[in-house]
Amino acid sequence: MKSVVTSMLLPALLSVLVLFTLMSFRVQAGNSHYSDDVTQHRAAYTNNNHGEDGVKFSCSIAQLNEIDQQMSVYFIQLGINATLIQRQLNPQAASLLFTLATPPNDFSTLNFRSRPEMQIRDQLISLPSAGGSMITVLTVSEKEIVLALMQHGRLTEFSGEQCNAETFIDHVKIRQNTVAWAELLEWGWPDGGKAKWNKKYWNKGTPLRGVSPSVAVADAFENQNKYSIGCYTATKLVMVQGILDYYHRIKKSPHELARVERRLMADGEPLVNIEPRAFWFFEEDFDANRLWENGKLLEMRYNIPPRNFVPGDWGYILNTDPKTKNKIGYEGSNAIYLGRGQFDDYYNDHNHSYLLREKLDEVYQWRNKVFSRSRDIDKVLPLTEGEMNALESAPDQGGLIMDTRAFFMISPSSSETLH
């Protein structure tokens, strides 16, 4: 009888084993294990389309010649040595491509400051603070941002109405302004509790009637002690503030400011859906019907190498621990890259910034129930060099760094409505 049962069960067990093996293979093979829709979306929004790297302009030859001259002047103003750049003007493809003259397999931007040939120095930036006074912060330079955009591993393309040097420079300066606003933050951390907002301007995360998003968002930076928010909300506030403040205070463009505010308020909620919904494609409860929804303000790209961040990028460090990832606020860490190898610290828990390995270690140690470095220091399990190296990869390769980046780049002719 035992042999009969075994002979009946064996094929079933083998079938289950084969199915389990196939499922495991699909999970380890990368993002193909999600759905055909996600695979198609990834193909449409990958970081490049023809193996190209750097900054690309696509428009008429007359425009490209003018852009070429303007970019040369801009590089000189920033102190970028011409030997650092590879320039490719392709009349047949009507394109102009600027790429760093680094090895093709060099994707990292985190160590630019330590590369002597790049001569990276920080910049002093003035920001408005409470009471109308100004404060000075030391932040990333335009030069570092431009060099990072031209590094191998990603493509940033300007075409159509965006195909001009002014739009590119705006893009760089918005990134710098975004980083500047993230330099000295000390918001409260709700730790799973309710968020706190300044009731003079906000009803929870919605501006009061008659309060513009520019005024409400700016208050979160000028009166930080009145706010206690999670890192997702904090990240959105920084991205929005960097853009609104640039058009209002730096470029002084009422038209552009009004356009951005209209987009933010299209659904009455300026902090909702600013990024494409596909940014969260990896979540278990992700609604595939929303995969192709655009963000109100930001774009995204997939397939970015783990150590490739441009200052002003919004990336994500995923908590891959099956237990603690279900704890509210500890699903992962939304991270804005500040340049100089540093990432944001919204709560001044770590002298206002984290190095990548410090950020990775912070998220990894959550599985050891280290939710406060000061309170839970005895629970920290130090990682070896090999373990840290492994974390500096994508989750499907045993690491924590998602291959997506979100950033601001919207054409002036973009639709004002949500899609």
Side-chain angles (χ1 to χ4, degrees):
M1 183 69 178
K2 182 178 179 181
S3 61
V4 173
V5 172
T6 301
S7 64
M8 293 175 61
L9 288 177
L10 186 58
L13 289 173
L14 287 173
S15 298
V16 171
L17 180 60
V18 169
L19 179 60
F20 178 79
T21 303
L22 288 173
M23 289 176 64
S24 298
F25 174 78
R26 294 185 72 188
V27 168
Q28 295 171 11
N31 292 291
S32 61
H33 70 282
Y34 288 98
S35 69
D36 291 339
D37 288 339
V38 171
T39 302
Q40 292 173 9
H41 194 271
R42 288 180 63 84
Y45 289 91
T46 190
N47 78 89
N48 59 54
N49 49 13
H50 299 294
E52 297 171 318
D53 301 304
V55 174
K56 181 179 181 180
F57 295 91
S58 300
C59 46
S60 71
I61 295 300
Q63 289 175 287
L64 294 178
N65 287 330
E66 182 179 1
I67 292 169
D68 197 8
Q69 296 176 6
Q70 293 170 335
M71 291 291 283
S72 295
V73 171
Y74 187 48
F75 293 154
I76 292 172
Q77 291 174 344
L78 297 182
I80 297 177
N81 193 310
T83 61
L84 293 176
I85 304 170
Q86 293 178 335
R87 168 190 165 278
Q88 300 176 50
L89 178 61
N90 188 333
Q92 287 74 33
S95 67
L96 176 62
L97 183 66
F98 296 96
T99 309
L100 279 192
T102 48
N105 62 347
D106 182 1
F107 303 135
S108 178
T109 60
L110 302 182
N111 60 357
F112 275 12
R113 192 171 181 177
S114 64
R115 301 190 189 192
E117 71 276 13
M118 294 190 177
Q119 299 182 337
I120 299 294
R121 294 183 178 85
D122 296 344
Q123 282 185 234
L124 287 172
I125 300 291
S126 294
L127 300 176
S129 62
S133 60
M134 302 292 289
I135 60 171
T136 301
V137 299
L138 192 64
T139 196
V140 68
S141 63
E142 288 181 59
K143 179 179 182 179
E144 182 174 347
I145 297 170
V146 171
L147 292 173
L149 284 166
M150 293 191 294
Q151 175 65 309
H152 298 287
R154 67 193 296 168
L155 181 74
T156 305
E157 184 173 5
F158 297 83
S159 60
E161 293 186 43
Q162 288 184 309
C163 190
N164 57 78
E166 180 183 359
T167 299
F168 172 75
I169 295 172
D170 281 345
H171 179 79
V172 172
K173 291 185 174 182
I174 287 172
R175 284 181 174 273
Q176 183 187 48
N177 197 47
T178 300
V179 171
W181 280 107
E183 294 283 2
L184 298 175
L185 295 174
E186 296 188 33
W187 284 318
W189 167 245
D191 198 14
K194 292 183 179 180
K196 183 176 76 172
W197 299 80
N198 186 353
K199 295 182 180 180
K200 181 178 179 180
Y201 298 99
W202 297 87
N203 176 19
K204 299 180 180 178
T206 305
L208 298 178
R209 183 183 299 273
V211 177
S212 73
S214 294
V215 171
V217 171
D219 182 73
F221 293 82
E222 296 176 3
N223 295 289
Q224 296 176 32
N225 62 331
K226 297 182 182 294
Y227 294 81
S228 181
I229 51 180
C231 72
Y232 178 41
T233 299
T235 300
K236 292 188 288 185
L237 280 170
V238 171
M239 300 298 283
V240 170
Q241 172 69 355
I243 298 162
L244 291 175
D245 179 65
Y246 175 75
Y247 286 125
H248 171 65
R249 182 177 60 89
I250 299 175
K251 192 168 185 181
K252 296 180 172 58
S253 173
H255 170 73
E256 291 294 330
L257 177 64
R259 181 178 63 85
V260 172
E261 288 193 326
R262 282 196 301 271
R263 293 185 68 85
L264 287 172
M265 296 304 294
D267 56 2
E269 299 288 350
L271 299 180
V272 174
N273 296 333
I274 72 165
E275 77 280 17
R277 296 315 305 155
F279 194 75
W280 307 106
F281 75 98
F282 56 88
E283 293 185 333
E284 294 178 1
D285 60 349
F286 179 75
D287 183 357
N289 293 320
R290 304 188 64 187
L291 185 65
W292 295 91
E293 287 186 15
N294 294 334
K296 290 189 294 188
L297 210 57
L298 306 181
E299 297 186 8
M300 65 171 286
R301 294 293 182 271
Y302 298 98
N303 201 33
I304 307 296
R307 292 180 60 84
N308 187 290
F309 287 86
V310 176
D313 271 352
W314 172 1
Y316 195 73
I317 310 298
L318 182 66
N319 181 7
T320 57
D321 176 52
K323 293 183 179 180
T324 55
K325 73 176 184 179
N326 295 318
K327 179 178 170 64
I328 295 176
Y330 295 91
E331 302 88 349
S333 180
N334 293 280
I336 293 178
Y337 182 54
L338 308 180
R340 302 149 290 167
Q342 301 172 348
F343 293 82
D344 62 78
D345 175 12
Y346 300 130
Y347 313 105
N348 195 22
D349 289 331
H350 201 266
N351 296 318
H352 293 297
S353 68
Y354 291 84
L355 298 177
L356 177 62
R357 287 196 165 193
E358 292 170 338
K359 197 74 173 174
L360 293 172
D361 186 64
E362 178 198 31
V363 173
Y364 182 86
Q365 295 296 340
W366 291 344
R367 68 194 60 200
N368 298 322
K369 296 182 172 55
V370 181
F371 303 119
S372 167
R373 286 283 168 157
S374 57
R375 185 183 67 238
D376 304 322
I377 190 65
D378 59 317
K379 299 177 184 177
V380 173
L381 296 180
L383 297 170
T384 66
E385 180 70 14
E387 289 170 332
M388 283 303 308
N389 286 336
L391 296 185
E392 291 187 25
S393 58
D396 61 343
Q397 297 174 343
L400 305 182
I401 306 174
M402 295 298 297
D403 74 342
T404 49
R405 307 286 186 270
F407 50 86
F408 175 75
M409 194 170 77
I410 296 179
S411 168
S413 62
S414 293
S415 171
E416 298 288 352
T417 60
L418 297 177
H419 300 284

